[in-house]
Amino acid sequence: MTRIVGHVRALNRFPVKSMAGEQLDVAELDWQGIEGDRQYAFIRADNRTRFPWFTAREVPAMVLHRARFADPGKPKTSMVTVETPDGASVSLHDPLLKAGLEAAAGEPAALIQVARGIYDSMPVSIQTSAGHAALEAAHGEALDIMRFRINVIVESDVPATEWRGRRLAFGDEEHGAVVQCADPIARCVIVTIDPETGTRAPRILRTVAQDFGNRYGIYAGPARPGLIRLGDPVRVLD
């Protein structure tokens, strides 16, 4: 038995960890996650901890760099271009891009590629319009949902956290992807950075922490590879 709980409103893929990403009409889900998502990352070259990632924590302006695959359908082999805050379009491998990030952070960095994706926890993040509206109501103002870097945004009256432990199916039964929802997503200072200006608003994280137990959206893992398309019906599998 299945029941429709919403429709896919937006699909986002982030080729480079902590940079702005690209909006998709179709996302391919394989056993590692959405193809091409978080495939690249800069690391702090002198960092030997279990969290070596060079992110917007170090350089908030990273969120103003927009990364795209030149060949969107072949992310494992495609070149990646980055639109910088000043409007230039450069290769992700441009040494001047790395040098600029290093100068802003005051420490050396290195670029790595991991085809399976570089995730803090699980590969797919999901939020609903109802879940985001609840945060805006608690915070008292509109918030750009892109600051939360969600992969799949579902138009639904149901908060995404209600799907914890459930399976969600997208689109048609033959080609549509299925995910297994897991835990709500713990949030960090990245959500305080405005994706359009790079400025910080610490009060946002306080609202998430105080009103939602520091959770926003829900993690999911692939349960069946397939496609997720913009506008797809989203069904809970009972």
Side-chain angles (χ1 to χ4, degrees), residues 13 24 28-30 32-37 39 69 72 75-76:
R13 176 171 66 184
L24 303 175
E28 182 178 354
L29 185 79
D30 62 19
Q32 287 75 44
I34 291 175
E35 278 284 326
D37 192 48
Q39 182 168 288
F69 289 106
K76 287 185 174 65

Side-chain angles (χ1 to χ4, degrees), residues 51-126:
F51 197 89
W53 314 119
F54 186 106
T55 71
R57 294 177 182 85
E58 290 72 47
V59 182
M62 281 190 76
V63 303
L64 305 181
H65 292 69
R66 184 170 302 280
R68 294 186 176 90
F69 289 106
D71 187 346
K74 298 180 179 179
K76 287 185 174 65
T77 57
S78 173
M79 293 179 58
V80 177
T81 60
V82 177
E83 183 180 326
T84 63
D86 61 5
S89 182
V90 301
S91 167
L92 175 61
H93 297 275
D94 189 325
L96 292 179
L97 175 64
K98 181 170 81 74
L101 295 174
E102 291 175 324
E107 62 179 306
L111 178 66
I112 64 170
Q113 179 184 13
V114 179
R116 65 174 176 79
I118 302 163
Y119 310 111
D120 291 345
S121 183
M122 296 188 71
V124 181
S125 57
I126 300 172

Side-chain angles (χ1 to χ4, degrees), residues 88-182:
S89 182
V90 301
S91 167
L92 175 61
H93 297 275
D94 189 325
L96 292 179
L97 175 64
K98 181 170 81 74
L101 295 174
E102 291 175 324
E107 62 179 306
L111 178 66
I112 64 170
Q113 179 184 13
V114 179
R116 65 174 176 79
I118 302 163
Y119 310 111
D120 291 345
S121 183
M122 296 188 71
V124 181
S125 57
I126 300 172
Q127 180 58 300
T128 66
S129 54
H132 187 67
L135 174 62
E136 290 182 320
H139 192 64
E141 62 181 288
L143 296 171
D144 188 343
I145 198 169
M146 292 307 296
R147 71 170 63 236
F148 299 95
R149 306 177 66 80
I150 293 289
N151 292 125
V152 184
I153 300 171
V154 179
E155 187 70 37
S156 176
D157 295 333
V158 180
T161 49
E162 290 195 10
W163 298 332
R164 184 177 188 176
R166 311 297 294 274
R167 288 185 301 149
L168 296 181
F170 298 89
D172 65 79
E173 295 184 5
E174 182 178 358
H175 302 291
V178 178
V179 300
Q180 176 71 50
C181 294

